[in-house]
């Protein structure tokens, strides 16, 4: 599995323990395919339980006897389970230590949190949730069983208070992301002797920072504990990465400005269009919607915040062409401008926007062809249009002199003509009889211009 490391790494040797990989303070997994070990750990209740206990108690050790009694299996079974857990933990740059005190996890607190969030989002929420749901009753039951009713209820209540302060609802997948972060924070902070080892952060001005401060204060009052000051920064990062809250012009946070999101959207549309063989660059709605999604996405990439897409496998299967085109385009853009690697989950969300635009453009349309040339040329033009736009229906091929009579009898969405037409209210795309790539672009431009005018009219 590939890793993205944002600071120096090292291999540390300890006598009697072996080698340990030190991944630094900020760690994120790359975009490679999830391993079989990953599926086995997060798909097995006992392995999830063992992993959760080790992660939440770390660095406090757990004994084999205690784990054996809790999960009703032999010590030898626990030993085999720990081998699988150890391999999975390594993907987060975490090490499983076994010594005279027991078994415990050694590693950075941020990486421990990432592993816990992976358990929540993959082993619990993704099994039951749909793309538009929040914490449904099935997921809630499993979360309560794993993390406790009070903790689950408090996370839901706190997000409700945050939404009241924001005066808007946090939609999926951002709700689930914030929920899992808060749940991990509670489980890691409650009763821990070791607090977060990341102490440096930047304080920011603005509504989101104030709300994050209130959230941390609420947690401290509710659990009667003191959280590290950096917890405010963590919650703030999730709020500005939620897709609803962007930075103000006066904010000093070194994150992408709106122009970067616009540039990213333009590049994504342009490069994806080349692979898909259809120019979507004139679709104003697509550009606007993509830029709005990309603004918080760039925040997530900057902070290493991962989101889960419950429809990822379906999108890869059903929208494979669009997904692959978007992934290649995003990888090129990220490499060009120095952004962090983008996950398949993020690519899947971007793909939905592109596919929506493709479906809108390719939707069945009734076409009339106007051509002054002979029958052979008309048939050539018709066949090339059918090949470029197979969903479209050519309802008539007529000379210019018969167009008015044809329009009185037949309704159409677009006229494609090789000759100049006068006094036609319907959209007209002028092409050559050969219908080259330039002609396909002209048809696309005419349709998108018409769609953009309709959207402006409705908006007005």
């Amino acid at each position: 599995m590939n890793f993205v490391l944002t600071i120096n790494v090292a291999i540390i040797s300890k006598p009697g323990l072996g080698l340990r990989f030190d991944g630094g303070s900020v760690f994120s997994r790359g975009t490679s395919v999830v391993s079989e070990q990953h599926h086995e750990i997060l798909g097995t209740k006992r392995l999830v339980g063992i992993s959760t206990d080790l992660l939440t108690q770390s660095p406090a050790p757990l004994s084999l006897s205690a784990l054996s009694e809790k999960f009703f299996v032999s010590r030898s079974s626990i030993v085999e389970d720990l081998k699988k857990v150890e391999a999975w933990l390594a993907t987060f740059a975490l090490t499983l230590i076994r010594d005279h005190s027991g078994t415990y996890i050694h590693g950075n607190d941020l990486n421990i949190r990432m592993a816990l969030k992976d358990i929540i989002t993959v082993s619990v929420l993704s099994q039951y949730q749909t793309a538009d749901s929040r914490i449904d009753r099935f997921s809630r039951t499993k979360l309560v069983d794993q993390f406790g009713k009070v903790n689950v209820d408090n996370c839901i209540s706190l997000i409700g208070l945050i939404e009241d302060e924001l005066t808007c609802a946090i939609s999926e997948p951002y709700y689930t992301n914030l929920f899992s972060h808060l749940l991990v924070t509670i489980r890691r902070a409650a009763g821990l002797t070791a607090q977060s080892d990341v102490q440096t952060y930047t304080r920011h001005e603005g509504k989101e920072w104030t709300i994050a401060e209130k959230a941390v204060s609420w947690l401290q009052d509710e659990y009667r504990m003191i959280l590290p000051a950096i917890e405010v920064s963590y919650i703030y990062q999730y709020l500005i990465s939620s897709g609803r809250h962007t930075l103000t012009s006066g904010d000093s946070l070194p994150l992408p400005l709106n122009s970067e999101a616009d540039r990213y959207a333009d590049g994504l549309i342009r490069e994806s269009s080349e692979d898909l063989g259809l120019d979507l660059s004139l679709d104003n709605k697509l550009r606007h919607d993509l830029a709005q999604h990309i603004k918080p996405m760039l925040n997530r990439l900057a902070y290493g915040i991962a989101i889960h897409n419950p429809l990822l496998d379906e999108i890869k299967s059903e929208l494979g062409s669009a997904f692959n085109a978007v992934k290649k385009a995003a990888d090129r853009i990220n490499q060009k401008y120095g952004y962090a690697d983008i996950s398949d989950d993020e690519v899947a969300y971007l793909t939905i926007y592109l596919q929506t635009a493709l479906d809108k453009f390719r939707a069945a349309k009734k076409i009339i062809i106007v051509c002054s040339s002979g029958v052979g040329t008309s048939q050539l033009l018709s066949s090339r249009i059918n090949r470029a736009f197979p969903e479209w229906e050519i309802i008539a091929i007529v000379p210019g002199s018969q167009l008015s009579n044809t329009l009185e009898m037949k309704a159409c969405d677009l006229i494609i003509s090789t000759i100049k037409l006068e006094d036609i209210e319907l959209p007209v795309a002028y092409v050559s009889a050969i219908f080259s790539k330039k002609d396909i672009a002209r048809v696309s431009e005419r349709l998108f211009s018409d769609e953009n005018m309709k959207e402006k009219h409705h908006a007005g």
Side-chain angles (χ1 to χ4, degrees):
M1 185 167 285
N2 298 328
F3 302 112
V4 180
L5 303 172
T6 58
I7 68 171
N8 294 333
V9 301
I11 302 295
I12 298 174
S13 175
K14 289 189 176 183
L17 294 178
L19 300 176
R20 175 170 65 84
F21 178 80
D22 187 353
S25 63
V26 182
F27 168 85
S28 63
R29 291 189 293 171
T31 58
S32 60
V33 177
V34 179
S35 67
E36 292 183 6
Q37 291 172 331
H38 187 261
H39 280 300
E40 183 177 11
I41 290 291
L42 300 182
T44 308
K45 184 176 181 180
R46 187 172 74 242
L47 293 177
V48 167
I50 293 172
S51 302
T52 301
D53 286 352
L54 287 168
L55 289 164
T56 55
Q57 295 300 318
S58 175
L62 297 175
S63 68
L64 292 179
S65 298
L67 291 171
S68 176
E69 291 176 7
K70 179 174 181 179
F71 295 102
F72 304 103
V73 294
S74 66
R75 287 166 56 96
S76 60
S77 294
I78 294 296
V79 170
E80 292 301 313
D81 287 343
L82 289 175
K83 292 178 182 178
K84 298 173 183 177
V85 172
E86 183 175 25
W88 174 70
L89 290 172
T91 68
F92 295 90
L94 298 171
T95 307
L96 195 65
I97 304 296
R98 304 172 181 84
D99 59 23
H100 65 278
S101 66
T103 302
Y104 61 94
I105 293 173
H106 179 84
N108 181 270
D109 183 63
L110 287 179
N111 296 345
I112 290 174
R113 290 178 179 223
M114 287 185 66
L116 276 169
K117 284 183 85 258
D118 207 36
I119 288 175
I120 294 171
T121 57
V122 178
S123 73
V124 180
L125 299 178
S126 66
Q127 292 190 29
Y128 303 109
Q129 282 195 302
T130 60
D132 299 321
S133 68
R134 288 197 171 196
I135 308 301
D136 57 70
R137 66 185 182 90
F138 299 106
S139 299
R140 183 166 178 165
T141 298
K142 194 167 183 179
L143 286 169
V144 167
D145 180 58
Q146 196 71 38
F147 295 93
K149 184 176 186 303
V150 172
N151 293 335
V152 172
D153 289 346
N154 281 341
C155 287
I156 294 173
S157 297
L158 180 53
I159 295 181
L161 295 174
I162 289 173
E163 289 178 323
D164 288 342
E165 292 285 337
L166 293 171
T167 65
C168 68
I170 299 174
S171 61
E172 286 294 345
Y174 314 111
Y175 182 97
T176 295
N177 226 32
L178 178 58
F179 176 91
S180 59
H181 171 78
L182 294 175
L183 189 56
V184 168
T185 297
I186 291 170
R187 283 299 299 265
R188 284 291 296 156
L192 276 183
T193 56
Q195 296 286 8
S196 173
D197 49 7
V198 182
Q199 299 300 330
T200 58
Y201 65 95
T202 303
R203 191 188 190 286
H204 302 283
E205 301 297 330
K207 183 179 183 179
E208 290 81 8
W209 186 268
T210 301
I211 294 172
E213 287 180 324
K214 290 181 179 179
V216 169
S217 178
W218 187 92
L219 286 172
Q220 292 182 145
D221 291 344
E222 191 69 25
Y223 287 90
R224 298 182 181 179
M225 63 181 177
I226 301 299
L227 291 170
I230 197 172
E231 295 293 345
V232 176
S233 180
Y234 290 154
I235 295 177
Y236 170 77
Q237 291 170 18
Y238 278 88
L239 294 183
I240 66 167
S241 299
S242 68
R244 292 177 177 268
H245 312 291
T246 55
L247 303 175
T248 60
S249 58
D251 203 318
S252 59
L253 187 65
L255 287 177
L257 301 174
N258 291 358
S259 59
E260 291 190 71
D262 295 332
R263 180 184 66 188
Y264 198 110
D266 287 338
L268 191 72
I269 294 171
R270 181 178 62 256
E271 298 203 26
S272 297
S273 292
E274 290 180 6
D275 280 345
L276 294 169
L278 185 64
D279 186 8
L280 299 173
S281 62
L282 295 171
D283 190 332
N284 290 343
K285 187 176 189 305
L286 171 62
R287 183 181 182 277
H288 174 269
D289 291 348
L290 265 180
Q292 291 300 310
H293 178 90
I294 288 168
K295 291 173 189 176
M297 184 194 79
L298 294 178
N299 288 344
R300 292 193 293 275
L301 295 181
Y303 285 126
I305 294 175
I307 58 174
H308 173 68
N309 191 325
L311 299 177
L312 175 60
D313 290 340
E314 293 179 63
I315 289 172
K316 282 184 172 180
S317 174
E318 301 296 329
L319 312 178
S321 296
F323 178 88
N324 291 331
V326 171
K327 184 173 178 60
K328 285 193 290 185
D331 286 342
R332 287 193 291 263
I333 294 170
N334 286 17
Q335 185 175 12
K336 179 179 179 180
Y337 295 110
Y339 298 126
D341 289 346
I342 189 169
S343 70
D344 282 358
D345 294 272
E346 291 280 12
V347 171
Y349 281 112
L350 295 173
T351 300
I352 292 173
Y353 291 98
L354 268 294
Q355 188 64 48
T356 300
L358 286 171
D359 289 346
K360 180 180 70 174
F361 183 76
R362 290 172 173 169
K365 292 179 175 59
K366 295 183 182 298
I367 308 299
I368 291 178
I369 296 176
V370 179
C371 187
S372 62
S373 303
V375 174
T377 305
S378 300
Q379 290 180 348
L380 173 63
L381 177 57
S382 174
S383 66
R384 286 182 169 253
I385 292 174
N386 276 327
R387 186 170 63 182
F389 307 103
E391 295 86 357
W392 294 3
E393 178 188 358
I394 299 174
I395 61 174
I397 302 176
V398 298
S401 59
Q402 295 182 15
L403 178 60
S404 296
N405 292 334
T406 303
L407 289 175
E408 290 179 0
M409 298 181 291
K410 298 181 179 181
C412 76
D413 302 299
L414 174 70
I415 297 171
I416 297 179
S417 177
T418 61
I419 61 175
K420 182 67 175 177
L421 301 176
E422 302 292 343
D423 301 323
I424 299 296
E425 295 183 0
L426 289 169
V428 180
Y430 293 102
V431 300
S432 70
I434 301 300
F435 203 66
S436 64
K437 290 184 178 179
K438 290 183 178 179
D439 293 316
I440 294 176
R442 291 190 187 100
V443 172
S444 303
E445 180 179 2
R446 188 64 189 89
L447 276 178
F448 280 128
S449 298
D450 188 55
E451 288 290 334
N452 293 336
M453 289 299 295
K454 289 179 181 177
E455 287 167 9
K456 287 182 179 179
H457 177 73
H458 289 311

Short mmCIF file of all heavy atoms in Angstrom, two decimals, residues 44-85:
data_model
loop_
_atom_site.label_atom_id
_atom_site.label_comp_id
_atom_site.label_asym_id
_atom_site.label_seq_id
_atom_site.Cartn_x
_atom_site.Cartn_y
_atom_site.Cartn_z
N THR A 44 -14.78 -8.24 10.19
CA THR A 44 -14.89 -9.27 11.22
C THR A 44 -15.12 -8.62 12.57
O THR A 44 -14.29 -7.82 13.03
CB THR A 44 -13.61 -10.13 11.27
OG1 THR A 44 -13.32 -10.62 9.96
CG2 THR A 44 -13.78 -11.29 12.24
N LYS A 45 -16.22 -8.95 13.22
CA LYS A 45 -16.60 -8.28 14.46
C LYS A 45 -15.53 -8.38 15.53
O LYS A 45 -15.21 -7.39 16.20
CB LYS A 45 -17.93 -8.85 14.97
CG LYS A 45 -18.46 -8.15 16.22
CD LYS A 45 -19.82 -8.70 16.61
CE LYS A 45 -20.35 -7.96 17.84
NZ LYS A 45 -21.68 -8.47 18.25
N ARG A 46 -14.96 -9.58 15.71
CA ARG A 46 -13.96 -9.75 16.77
C ARG A 46 -12.70 -8.93 16.47
O ARG A 46 -12.13 -8.29 17.37
CB ARG A 46 -13.60 -11.22 16.95
CG ARG A 46 -12.70 -11.45 18.16
CD ARG A 46 -12.49 -12.92 18.45
NE ARG A 46 -11.59 -13.58 17.52
CZ ARG A 46 -11.94 -14.58 16.72
NH1 ARG A 46 -13.19 -15.04 16.71
NH2 ARG A 46 -11.06 -15.13 15.90
N LEU A 47 -12.26 -8.93 15.21
CA LEU A 47 -11.08 -8.17 14.85
C LEU A 47 -11.32 -6.66 15.01
O LEU A 47 -10.43 -5.92 15.43
CB LEU A 47 -10.66 -8.49 13.42
CG LEU A 47 -10.15 -9.92 13.18
CD1 LEU A 47 -9.85 -10.13 11.71
CD2 LEU A 47 -8.91 -10.20 14.02
N VAL A 48 -12.52 -6.23 14.67
CA VAL A 48 -12.88 -4.83 14.88
C VAL A 48 -12.84 -4.49 16.37
O VAL A 48 -12.32 -3.45 16.79
CB VAL A 48 -14.27 -4.51 14.30
CG1 VAL A 48 -14.77 -3.17 14.79
CG2 VAL A 48 -14.22 -4.52 12.77
N GLY A 49 -13.38 -5.40 17.19
CA GLY A 49 -13.40 -5.17 18.63
C GLY A 49 -12.01 -5.11 19.22
O GLY A 49 -11.69 -4.22 20.04
N ILE A 50 -11.14 -6.04 18.84
CA ILE A 50 -9.77 -6.05 19.34
C ILE A 50 -9.03 -4.79 18.92
O ILE A 50 -8.35 -4.14 19.72
CB ILE A 50 -9.03 -7.31 18.84
CG1 ILE A 50 -9.63 -8.57 19.47
CG2 ILE A 50 -7.54 -7.23 19.16
CD1 ILE A 50 -9.09 -9.86 18.89
N SER A 51 -9.17 -4.43 17.64
CA SER A 51 -8.50 -3.24 17.12
C SER A 51 -8.98 -1.99 17.84
O SER A 51 -8.17 -1.12 18.21
CB SER A 51 -8.75 -3.10 15.62
OG SER A 51 -8.29 -4.24 14.92
N THR A 52 -10.29 -1.88 18.05
CA THR A 52 -10.86 -0.71 18.72
C THR A 52 -10.33 -0.60 20.15
O THR A 52 -9.94 0.49 20.61
CB THR A 52 -12.39 -0.79 18.74
OG1 THR A 52 -12.86 -0.85 17.40
CG2 THR A 52 -12.98 0.43 19.41
N ASP A 53 -10.30 -1.71 20.86
CA ASP A 53 -9.82 -1.69 22.25
C ASP A 53 -8.35 -1.26 22.31
O ASP A 53 -7.97 -0.44 23.15
CB ASP A 53 -9.97 -3.07 22.89
CG ASP A 53 -11.42 -3.39 23.22
OD1 ASP A 53 -12.27 -2.48 23.10
OD2 ASP A 53 -11.71 -4.54 23.60
N LEU A 54 -7.53 -1.81 21.44
CA LEU A 54 -6.12 -1.46 21.43
C LEU A 54 -5.90 0.01 21.09
O LEU A 54 -5.09 0.69 21.71
CB LEU A 54 -5.36 -2.34 20.44
CG LEU A 54 -5.15 -3.81 20.84
CD1 LEU A 54 -4.67 -4.62 19.65
CD2 LEU A 54 -4.15 -3.92 21.99
N LEU A 55 -6.64 0.48 20.10
CA LEU A 55 -6.48 1.88 19.67
C LEU A 55 -6.96 2.86 20.71
O LEU A 55 -6.33 3.89 20.96
CB LEU A 55 -7.24 2.10 18.34
CG LEU A 55 -6.62 1.45 17.11
CD1 LEU A 55 -7.63 1.40 15.97
CD2 LEU A 55 -5.36 2.19 16.67
N THR A 56 -8.11 2.57 21.34
CA THR A 56 -8.65 3.51 22.32
C THR A 56 -7.87 3.51 23.62
O THR A 56 -7.81 4.52 24.31
CB THR A 56 -10.13 3.21 22.61
OG1 THR A 56 -10.26 1.85 23.01
CG2 THR A 56 -10.99 3.47 21.39
N GLN A 57 -7.25 2.37 23.96
CA GLN A 57 -6.51 2.28 25.21
C GLN A 57 -5.04 2.68 25.07
O GLN A 57 -4.38 2.97 26.07
CB GLN A 57 -6.57 0.85 25.75
CG GLN A 57 -7.95 0.38 26.14
CD GLN A 57 -8.57 1.24 27.24
OE1 GLN A 57 -7.89 1.61 28.19
NE2 GLN A 57 -9.84 1.55 27.10
N SER A 58 -4.53 2.67 23.85
CA SER A 58 -3.12 2.98 23.64
C SER A 58 -2.74 4.32 24.28
O SER A 58 -3.50 5.30 24.17
CB SER A 58 -2.83 3.03 22.14
OG SER A 58 -1.51 3.43 21.90
N PRO A 59 -1.60 4.39 24.97
CA PRO A 59 -0.53 3.38 25.05
C PRO A 59 -0.67 2.40 26.23
O PRO A 59 0.28 1.68 26.50
CB PRO A 59 0.71 4.25 25.24
CG PRO A 59 0.22 5.40 26.05
CD PRO A 59 -1.19 5.67 25.56
N ALA A 60 -1.82 2.37 26.88
CA ALA A 60 -2.00 1.41 27.97
C ALA A 60 -2.05 -0.01 27.40
O ALA A 60 -2.73 -0.25 26.40
CB ALA A 60 -3.30 1.72 28.73
N PRO A 61 -1.36 -0.97 28.01
CA PRO A 61 -1.32 -2.33 27.48
C PRO A 61 -2.56 -3.14 27.84
O PRO A 61 -3.23 -2.88 28.84
CB PRO A 61 -0.07 -2.92 28.14
CG PRO A 61 0.04 -2.19 29.44
CD PRO A 61 -0.46 -0.79 29.17
N LEU A 62 -2.88 -4.11 27.00
CA LEU A 62 -3.96 -5.07 27.26
C LEU A 62 -3.34 -6.47 27.29
O LEU A 62 -2.45 -6.78 26.50
CB LEU A 62 -5.02 -5.00 26.16
CG LEU A 62 -5.79 -3.68 26.01
CD1 LEU A 62 -6.72 -3.75 24.80
CD2 LEU A 62 -6.58 -3.37 27.26
N SER A 63 -3.82 -7.32 28.19
CA SER A 63 -3.28 -8.66 28.30
C SER A 63 -4.01 -9.62 27.37
O SER A 63 -5.18 -9.40 27.03
CB SER A 63 -3.37 -9.16 29.74
OG SER A 63 -4.73 -9.37 30.10
N LEU A 64 -3.32 -10.69 26.98
CA LEU A 64 -3.96 -11.72 26.16
C LEU A 64 -5.13 -12.35 26.90
O LEU A 64 -6.16 -12.67 26.30
CB LEU A 64 -2.94 -12.79 25.78
CG LEU A 64 -1.82 -12.38 24.82
CD1 LEU A 64 -0.89 -13.56 24.57
CD2 LEU A 64 -2.38 -11.87 23.51
N SER A 65 -4.98 -12.51 28.22
CA SER A 65 -6.05 -13.12 29.01
C SER A 65 -7.30 -12.26 28.99
O SER A 65 -8.42 -12.78 28.84
CB SER A 65 -5.58 -13.32 30.46
OG SER A 65 -4.47 -14.20 30.51
N ALA A 66 -7.13 -10.94 29.12
CA ALA A 66 -8.29 -10.04 29.12
C ALA A 66 -9.00 -10.08 27.78
O ALA A 66 -10.23 -10.12 27.72
CB ALA A 66 -7.83 -8.63 29.46
N LEU A 67 -8.24 -10.07 26.69
CA LEU A 67 -8.85 -10.13 25.36
C LEU A 67 -9.52 -11.48 25.13
O LEU A 67 -10.60 -11.56 24.53
CB LEU A 67 -7.78 -9.88 24.29
CG LEU A 67 -7.20 -8.46 24.23
CD1 LEU A 67 -6.01 -8.42 23.27
CD2 LEU A 67 -8.27 -7.46 23.80
N SER A 68 -8.89 -12.55 25.61
CA SER A 68 -9.46 -13.89 25.47
C SER A 68 -10.79 -14.01 26.19
O SER A 68 -11.76 -14.55 25.64
CB SER A 68 -8.47 -14.93 26.00
OG SER A 68 -9.03 -16.22 25.97
N GLU A 69 -10.86 -13.47 27.40
CA GLU A 69 -12.10 -13.53 28.17
C GLU A 69 -13.19 -12.66 27.55
O GLU A 69 -14.36 -13.05 27.51
CB GLU A 69 -11.83 -13.08 29.61
CG GLU A 69 -10.97 -14.06 30.40
CD GLU A 69 -10.64 -13.52 31.78
OE1 GLU A 69 -11.20 -12.47 32.15
OE2 GLU A 69 -9.82 -14.15 32.48
N LYS A 70 -12.83 -11.50 27.06
CA LYS A 70 -13.82 -10.58 26.50
C LYS A 70 -14.46 -11.13 25.24
O LYS A 70 -15.68 -10.99 25.03
CB LYS A 70 -13.19 -9.22 26.21
CG LYS A 70 -14.18 -8.22 25.60
CD LYS A 70 -13.58 -6.83 25.46
CE LYS A 70 -14.61 -5.87 24.88
NZ LYS A 70 -14.09 -4.48 24.75
N PHE A 71 -13.66 -11.77 24.40
CA PHE A 71 -14.17 -12.22 23.10
C PHE A 71 -14.44 -13.72 23.05
O PHE A 71 -14.74 -14.27 21.99
CB PHE A 71 -13.19 -11.80 21.99
CG PHE A 71 -13.08 -10.31 21.84
CD1 PHE A 71 -11.98 -9.63 22.37
CD2 PHE A 71 -14.07 -9.58 21.21
CE1 PHE A 71 -11.88 -8.25 22.25
CE2 PHE A 71 -13.98 -8.20 21.08
CZ PHE A 71 -12.88 -7.53 21.60
N PHE A 72 -14.31 -14.39 24.19
CA PHE A 72 -14.70 -15.80 24.33
C PHE A 72 -13.97 -16.71 23.35
O PHE A 72 -14.57 -17.59 22.72
CB PHE A 72 -16.22 -15.96 24.14
CG PHE A 72 -17.04 -15.12 25.07
CD1 PHE A 72 -17.65 -13.96 24.63
CD2 PHE A 72 -17.19 -15.46 26.42
CE1 PHE A 72 -18.39 -13.17 25.48
CE2 PHE A 72 -17.93 -14.68 27.28
CZ PHE A 72 -18.54 -13.53 26.82
N VAL A 73 -12.67 -16.50 23.20
CA VAL A 73 -11.86 -17.37 22.37
C VAL A 73 -10.56 -17.67 23.13
O VAL A 73 -10.23 -17.03 24.12
CB VAL A 73 -11.52 -16.73 21.00
CG1 VAL A 73 -12.77 -16.58 20.16
CG2 VAL A 73 -10.81 -15.39 21.17
N SER A 74 -9.82 -18.64 22.65
CA SER A 74 -8.58 -19.02 23.31
C SER A 74 -7.49 -17.98 23.10
O SER A 74 -7.56 -17.15 22.19
CB SER A 74 -8.12 -20.37 22.77
OG SER A 74 -7.76 -20.25 21.39
N ARG A 75 -6.47 -18.07 23.95
CA ARG A 75 -5.33 -17.16 23.82
C ARG A 75 -4.64 -17.34 22.47
O ARG A 75 -4.19 -16.37 21.85
CB ARG A 75 -4.34 -17.41 24.96
CG ARG A 75 -4.80 -16.91 26.33
CD ARG A 75 -3.94 -17.50 27.44
NE ARG A 75 -2.53 -17.21 27.25
CZ ARG A 75 -1.89 -16.19 27.81
NH1 ARG A 75 -2.57 -15.36 28.61
NH2 ARG A 75 -0.60 -15.99 27.62
N SER A 76 -4.57 -18.60 22.01
CA SER A 76 -3.93 -18.85 20.71
C SER A 76 -4.69 -18.17 19.57
O SER A 76 -4.09 -17.68 18.61
CB SER A 76 -3.81 -20.35 20.45
OG SER A 76 -5.09 -20.96 20.43
N SER A 77 -6.03 -18.13 19.68
CA SER A 77 -6.84 -17.44 18.66
C SER A 77 -6.57 -15.94 18.70
O SER A 77 -6.49 -15.28 17.64
CB SER A 77 -8.33 -17.70 18.89
OG SER A 77 -8.64 -19.06 18.69
N ILE A 78 -6.42 -15.38 19.91
CA ILE A 78 -6.11 -13.96 20.04
C ILE A 78 -4.75 -13.65 19.42
O ILE A 78 -4.56 -12.63 18.75
CB ILE A 78 -6.14 -13.53 21.52
CG1 ILE A 78 -7.55 -13.63 22.08
CG2 ILE A 78 -5.61 -12.10 21.68
CD1 ILE A 78 -8.56 -12.70 21.45
N VAL A 79 -3.78 -14.57 19.64
CA VAL A 79 -2.45 -14.37 19.06
C VAL A 79 -2.54 -14.31 17.53
O VAL A 79 -1.91 -13.45 16.89
CB VAL A 79 -1.50 -15.51 19.50
CG1 VAL A 79 -0.19 -15.44 18.70
CG2 VAL A 79 -1.21 -15.41 20.99
N GLU A 80 -3.32 -15.19 16.93
CA GLU A 80 -3.49 -15.17 15.47
C GLU A 80 -4.20 -13.91 15.01
O GLU A 80 -3.87 -13.32 13.98
CB GLU A 80 -4.26 -16.41 15.01
CG GLU A 80 -3.50 -17.71 15.18
CD GLU A 80 -2.19 -17.71 14.41
OE1 GLU A 80 -2.21 -17.30 13.22
OE2 GLU A 80 -1.17 -18.09 15.00
N ASP A 81 -5.20 -13.49 15.80
CA ASP A 81 -5.91 -12.25 15.47
C ASP A 81 -4.96 -11.05 15.50
O ASP A 81 -5.04 -10.16 14.64
CB ASP A 81 -7.06 -12.01 16.46
CG ASP A 81 -8.22 -12.96 16.24
OD1 ASP A 81 -8.30 -13.56 15.16
OD2 ASP A 81 -9.06 -13.09 17.16
N LEU A 82 -4.08 -11.03 16.50
CA LEU A 82 -3.17 -9.89 16.65
C LEU A 82 -2.20 -9.79 15.47
O LEU A 82 -1.78 -8.70 15.10
CB LEU A 82 -2.40 -10.00 17.96
CG LEU A 82 -3.22 -9.75 19.23
CD1 LEU A 82 -2.38 -10.00 20.47
CD2 LEU A 82 -3.78 -8.33 19.25
N LYS A 83 -1.86 -10.93 14.85
CA LYS A 83 -1.01 -10.88 13.67
C LYS A 83 -1.71 -10.13 12.53
O LYS A 83 -1.09 -9.35 11.81
CB LYS A 83 -0.65 -12.30 13.23
CG LYS A 83 0.27 -13.05 14.19
CD LYS A 83 0.54 -14.46 13.69
CE LYS A 83 1.41 -15.24 14.66
NZ LYS A 83 1.64 -16.64 14.19
N LYS A 84 -3.00 -10.40 12.38
CA LYS A 84 -3.77 -9.70 11.33
C LYS A 84 -3.93 -8.23 11.67
O LYS A 84 -3.82 -7.36 10.79
CB LYS A 84 -5.14 -10.37 11.18
CG LYS A 84 -5.07 -11.82 10.75
CD LYS A 84 -6.44 -12.47 10.79
CE LYS A 84 -6.36 -13.95 10.42
NZ LYS A 84 -7.68 -14.62 10.53
N VAL A 85 -4.22 -7.94 12.95
CA VAL A 85 -4.36 -6.55 13.38
C VAL A 85 -3.05 -5.80 13.17
O VAL A 85 -3.04 -4.64 12.73
CB VAL A 85 -4.79 -6.48 14.86
CG1 VAL A 85 -4.74 -5.05 15.38
CG2 VAL A 85 -6.19 -7.06 15.03
#
